Each structure stands twice: as structure tokens, then as C-alpha cells.
Amino acid sequence: LTAPHELHVKADSQPATMSSTSSTSNTSTENPTDIAKKAVLVKSEELTAADAETEKLVEVHGYDFNKGVDFSALLKSYGNTGFQATFLSRAIDEVNKMLQWKGEGEEEGARCKIYLGYTSNMISCGLRDVIRFLTEHKMVDVIVTTGGGIEEDFIKCLAPTFMGEFHLPGAALRDKGLNRIGNLLIPNDNYCKFEDWVMPILDKMLEEQKKEGTHWTPSRIINRLGKEINNPESVYYWAWKNDIPVFCPAITDGSLGDMLYFHSYHNPGLVVDLVDDIREINNSSVYAKHTGIIICGGGVIKHHICNANLMRNGADYAVYINTAEEFDGSDAGARPDEAVSWGKIRQDATSVKIHSDFTLVFPLIVAETFAKLPGQKRP
């Protein structure tokens, strides 16, 4: 071990160039509070909009409940609240841009084509009624969803879904024939009722294919089922009635796929053409004057809409709502800027991603956009 006095000798013997220190070094004669103040009380330069990466500086303020309860004013205050509240405010602005765009000159009379995408859990939960409102009033132009996003709508017309709890044990539910989606419960009998309803329709479709040469695609199947359900509570009843195409590239991934599987043995021969649907959705984008995309969730529905918009060099407006993060490289977690790099969203777009459960924020977006249109009709 080195004796204490030897340490001082070694330190003092270093060349001057080695012992010189930066201006932030402290001397033994300085008051410790002066040293701390230099570190803590760093003088600020004047903050500019460029520093904040905004058009102008906005002060942070929340909603003042002394003014009473005004939900529109409350949501407007989100713009200068910070965190995800600010992104919700920006998403509302982005959707309103979609609704307000009108073609000029050669494009006069055109409106922004709005693509709505959502995963099956949005239909399983109460947001189905929000989506039904949008299709009932022809607020969106194109829908993309998953297999579960189709069948759950029709199943709810046949039997209800119930509230449960996230912690309910799977083994006990299985013994009782109860299926859990988060904190929702669906009796397995509901799927039996769906089978009883859909199988005769598939028989008719096969007969029409053989006798009339009907060419079935996923979107045409959904359109037909929307007509057959004949129930105004259904999202796809209104999609059929208002001629809104519904695309489902993963139509076999769910109970409807199970029914197609069973039907292929019970009454084989039904053919479903996926290629015709990819032509339809891509052409819907290619010929659109302006497009906006609203995507709730991730996976196939998110990419299918974005990829269709690649065909026109990107969507003009985009809103994502999901809880996925980008750090695993997943498409679900990718921010809009990643889609810009692929040409799926335009370079000058003011896209927004809200990191949130969509049950919390999507109804608020609809309340401040679509639901406020005069007469609940798009211009």
C-alpha cells in the first residue's frame, strides 16, 4: 500500500500540463455552495420555436374547472397539456383536415378518401357502436379489418358479449365454455349460433358460384353477409347499405375461417379470390385525389392500408392509435415517420401517433370530428 504522504508527493511531481484542469474543476478554496450553483443554476439562452421544433412557442396550461365542465374546451386544452394529451389534440386536428379538404380546379368536387383500419378487439368491445355510427352516416370510404373484426359484428347481432375481469382463470372459463377477450366474456354458444346462421349462406354462395359464375372475394363475402344479417346494429349492414368496401386480407384467421374450413368438407368447392381484392384496394388509392388513414391497432390492418397508399406515393394525412413500441422493429410499433421512408405516407404530411388504448381516445376523436359535422353528413 502507498502511504498517504507518498500520494501527495506523486501528485505534486506530475508535469504542469498533466495537472492543468478544465474551467469546471473546483478548487479547495471555493465555497461549496458556489460550486453547486455553477452546476444547478446554469443560465438559459432564450427559448425559440426552433428549439421546441414548433411553429410558435406554446405555454403549458391545463383546463380550468372553475369555468365549469365543457368537454370540447377540455379536449381543446389537451393541445397545451403535454404528453399523450397533446398527441390526442393533434390527432383531432389531423382528422378534421381530412374532413375539410376539398378538391379545387380539375379536382373540384373531390373529397379526401378516408381509410379506417381496426383490429378485432375494437368490434368485440363497445367501440363497435362508434364504428357503426361512422358506417351508418358514410363518414369513411374504405374499411380494413381482421377476420375477428368481421365475425364478432355478426355474432353480436345473434347473442351478446358480457363484461368480465382480466384476472378470471382460463382453465375455469374453459370448463364452462366461456371465452375471454381481455375483460370481456363470450359464451361459446354464440359461435354455435354463428355457425347455424352462416353455413346456409355459404351454401347459397357456392350454388351461385356454380350456377351463375359468381366470383367471391373477401370483400364480396363481407358485403353479402352484411346484407343477410339485415340488422341496423351491424357495422357491415351499413357498409353494405352505403356501398363502403370492407377488406379483410386475413379473413380465414378466426371463426369465419373455421366455418369456411368446416364448409369445405360439408359442401366443398367454394373459392375465395384474394388477388381481386388487392387490386380493388390498391386501385382505390391510386385513383384517389387525396387520402387520409386512421389506424386503430397494428398488424395486418395497419400494413394493408399503408401499403395500398404506397401505390400513390403515400397518404396525405395519417393517425395511428396503438400501444406498440418501435424498438423491436415491428410494423405495429413503427411510428408514421417509418412509413414516410417507404413512401406510404407523404413527406410533407403532419402525421400523428397516439400511444394509447384506443378505447380511451377513439370515441373522443370521433366526438370532436365526425360527430360534429352538420347534419352528421360529410361535405
Side-chain angles (χ1 to χ4, degrees), residues 19-262:
S19 62
S20 62
T21 59
S22 67
S23 60
T24 58
S25 297
N26 307 316
T27 65
S28 59
T29 58
E30 278 189 278
N31 186 309
T33 59
D34 292 335
I35 297 171
K37 284 180 179 179
K38 287 179 183 179
V40 176
L41 302 178
V42 176
K43 184 175 177 57
S44 300
E45 295 182 6
E46 184 177 355
L47 180 62
T48 67
D51 295 321
E53 294 189 6
T54 56
E55 291 183 4
K56 62 179 182 178
L57 286 176
V58 178
E59 293 184 8
V60 174
H61 289 289
Y63 182 73
D64 184 0
F65 281 99
N66 286 314
K67 298 178 180 178
V69 179
D70 181 333
F71 286 105
S72 287
L74 172 63
L75 290 173
K76 190 173 181 61
S77 77
Y78 277 21
N80 45 270
T81 293
F83 307 135
Q84 293 308 303
T86 295
F87 287 98
L88 172 56
S89 176
R90 291 175 183 174
I92 290 170
D93 290 343
E94 189 77 353
V95 173
N96 277 324
K97 288 177 188 176
M98 300 179 198
L99 295 173
Q100 291 163 5
W101 184 85
K102 293 180 181 178
E104 298 178 353
E106 293 182 357
E107 298 177 351
E108 188 173 356
R111 68 180 192 178
C112 180
K113 182 170 285 187
I114 298 178
Y115 292 74
L116 174 64
Y118 50 85
T119 45
S120 63
N121 46 348
M122 280 193 69
I123 294 293
S124 301
C125 72
L127 288 189
R128 172 197 184 222
D129 298 292
V130 178
I131 298 169
R132 190 216 68 243
F133 166 82
L134 296 177
T135 57
E136 179 181 352
H137 296 281
K138 211 171 183 178
M139 299 289 190
V140 296
D141 301 288
V142 179
I143 290 174
V144 178
T145 189
T146 59
I150 301 302
E151 68 216 21
E152 292 294 329
D153 177 68
F154 297 124
I155 289 170
K156 279 187 170 183
C157 292
L158 305 171
T161 297
F162 299 94
M163 294 301 304
E165 295 292 345
F166 282 96
H167 65 257
L168 294 174
L173 293 174
R174 179 62 178 167
D175 288 340
K176 295 180 179 180
L178 300 174
N179 304 294
R180 182 172 68 83
I181 301 175
N183 59 349
L184 312 178
L185 292 174
I186 306 177
N188 212 54
D189 284 350
N190 292 18
Y191 295 94
C192 298
K193 292 175 182 178
F194 178 62
E195 180 180 10
D196 293 340
W197 176 74
V198 80
M199 280 299 194
I201 300 172
L202 296 179
D203 287 337
K204 290 180 195 173
M205 288 167 51
L206 177 57
E207 185 179 355
E208 291 169 20
Q209 175 187 300
K210 290 178 176 178
K211 292 184 176 179
E212 303 169 22
T214 304
H215 189 75
W216 294 108
T217 64
S219 64
R220 290 180 190 136
I221 290 174
I222 297 161
N223 184 269
R224 175 62 173 270
L225 296 179
K227 177 183 178 181
E228 294 284 349
I229 197 67
N230 194 28
N231 187 328
E233 293 180 2
S234 165
V235 171
Y236 307 114
Y237 165 80
W238 288 106
W240 161 72
K241 202 169 182 64
N242 288 326
D243 199 26
I244 299 170
V246 180
F247 296 98
C248 184
I251 195 167
T252 56
D253 184 30
S255 183
L256 186 53
D258 298 343
M259 298 306 111
L260 290 167
Y261 167 70
F262 296 145

